[in-house]
Amino acid sequence: MPTLRRESTVDLHYDVDDFTDPWTTPETVLMLHGNAETGAVWFGWVPHLARHFRVVRPDMRGFGRSTPMPESYPWTLDALIDDCLALMRTLGVERFHLVGAKLGGTIARRFAARCPDQVLTLTVAGTPAPRRAQTTASTPGWQQEFIEHGTVSWARRTMAGRLGAGFPEAGVAWWIELMGRTAVSTQLGFVETIAVADITADLPAIRCPTLVITTEGSALGSVEETRAWQRMIARSELLVLPGNSYHVAASEADRCAMATREFILRERTSRAT
């Protein structure tokens, strides 16, 4: 099991998928999952991307097979970005494409703004607005639910809006079980900090080509609201898919992955000419 030791008691798990021709030197795609998820959730994307790119899927600290974080851990976006930079250095990757879903898209947008010389392209799918005042108000109730009933209760209660009306029942059960395994101690600190981080000032600093993917009826914001912050990123475009899920990276994994692949290949061709 590949892991990266970050601190004396913190290990980060990651997977690398590479089905490119062995005589080539592929570019790398780094994929950042959302809250209460793991790198395993990109299963629908990997077949579309790994034939063309080396795909790196970490479990963020606190989640999945990485070390759970104590309730007292001082979460910051930059600490999560530093984890990813350390992983890329370990893998010998200087420049890469960045993909994020849900709160992974919040981290990814800050990442691209902070590291313009390393991030080649940015794709965010089903990611929230850069400022989430309503979530701040909901945080104490979520934390109480985590303490009293565990993460699985919150995952079950919120799953319908996350995956949309058309998602299969067995798939909903799979997602509830996966998200419900997240340590309560991780969730308590993560939702109080990362889930409500304000990245508004980062958007104009993103210089790389950027693809934003949402759905027609996403609960994270209307198409008009999403377009408003997307336009704050200079070299960005918006893809709106049918449906009412807000986790479009999961509900429309194939379509998102294919659109991302074509976007990256198009931008790579543009750089080469």
Side-chain angles (χ1 to χ4, degrees):
M1 184 172 74
T3 58
L4 173 67
R5 174 60 57 91
R6 287 292 288 145
E7 289 122 36
S8 60
T9 58
V10 177
D11 288 322
L12 301 180
H13 173 88
Y14 64 94
D15 289 300
V16 178
D17 307 284
D18 184 352
F19 295 97
T20 61
D21 293 330
W23 55 87
T24 64
T25 304
E27 293 182 336
T28 296
V29 177
L30 173 62
M31 311 192 77
L32 305 182
H33 63 77
N35 181 28
E37 296 184 0
T38 80
V41 301
W42 298 108
F43 60 87
W45 289 59
V46 169
H48 298 286
L49 297 182
R51 184 69 182 92
H52 301 270
F53 312 99
R54 179 166 63 159
V55 177
V56 179
R57 298 180 290 123
D59 292 354
M60 287 191 294
R61 65 167 60 219
F63 298 97
R65 293 156 291 183
S66 295
T67 306
M69 291 292 98
E71 184 179 344
S72 60
Y73 175 69
W75 291 91
T76 67
L77 289 171
D78 285 329
L80 294 170
I81 293 168
D82 288 342
D83 284 343
C84 293
L85 290 172
L87 175 57
M88 292 294 97
R89 285 194 299 270
T90 298
L91 296 175
V93 179
E94 295 183 2
R95 305 184 74 197
F96 47 88
H97 304 276
L98 189 57
V99 177
K102 291 174 39 190
L103 284 172
T106 297
I107 300 163
R109 282 173 288 178
R110 174 62 167 267
F111 201 148
R114 175 181 155 184
C115 303
D117 295 329
Q118 290 162 283
V119 179
L120 293 166
T121 67
L122 171 65
T123 300
V124 291
T127 196
R131 183 174 180 272
R132 306 180 73 195
Q134 185 175 358
T135 299
T136 302
S138 302
T139 298
W142 290 352
Q143 291 175 309
Q144 191 63 34
E145 184 173 8
F146 296 146
I147 293 170
E148 294 180 357
H149 304 291
T151 306
V152 69
S153 170
W154 165 83
R156 182 179 296 110
R157 181 177 57 79
T158 59
M159 195 57 68
R162 184 175 290 111
L163 296 174
F167 207 77
E169 185 175 335
V172 172
W174 184 90
W175 274 95
I176 291 171
E177 195 275 332
L178 177 134
M179 297 180 72
R181 294 200 299 263
T182 303
V184 169
S185 59
T186 292
Q187 282 294 88
L188 289 172
F190 190 87
V191 299
E192 190 173 45
T193 51
I194 305 303
V196 297
D198 185 351
I199 60 165
T200 306
D202 292 307
L203 301 192
I206 298 174
R207 302 206 306 247
C208 64
T210 299
L211 175 64
V212 177
I213 307 175
T214 189
T215 59
E216 295 171 334
S218 172
L220 293 178
S222 67
V223 172
E224 292 72 22
E225 290 168 332
T226 302
R227 184 176 287 113
W229 66 255
Q230 170 255 319
R231 286 177 171 171
M232 297 173 67
I233 304 172
R235 302 171 63 191
S236 67
E237 56 190 81
L238 178 64
L239 173 62
V240 181
L241 297 179
N244 64 346
S245 69
Y246 67 79
H247 195 357
V248 65
S251 64
E252 299 291 341
D254 291 317
R255 295 184 68 178
C256 287
M258 288 188 287
T260 300
R261 181 189 65 203
E262 297 311 310
F263 168 69
I264 294 175
L265 291 174
R266 168 164 49 90
E267 292 301 330
R268 184 171 71 182
T269 300
S270 178
R271 277 188 285 118
T273 57

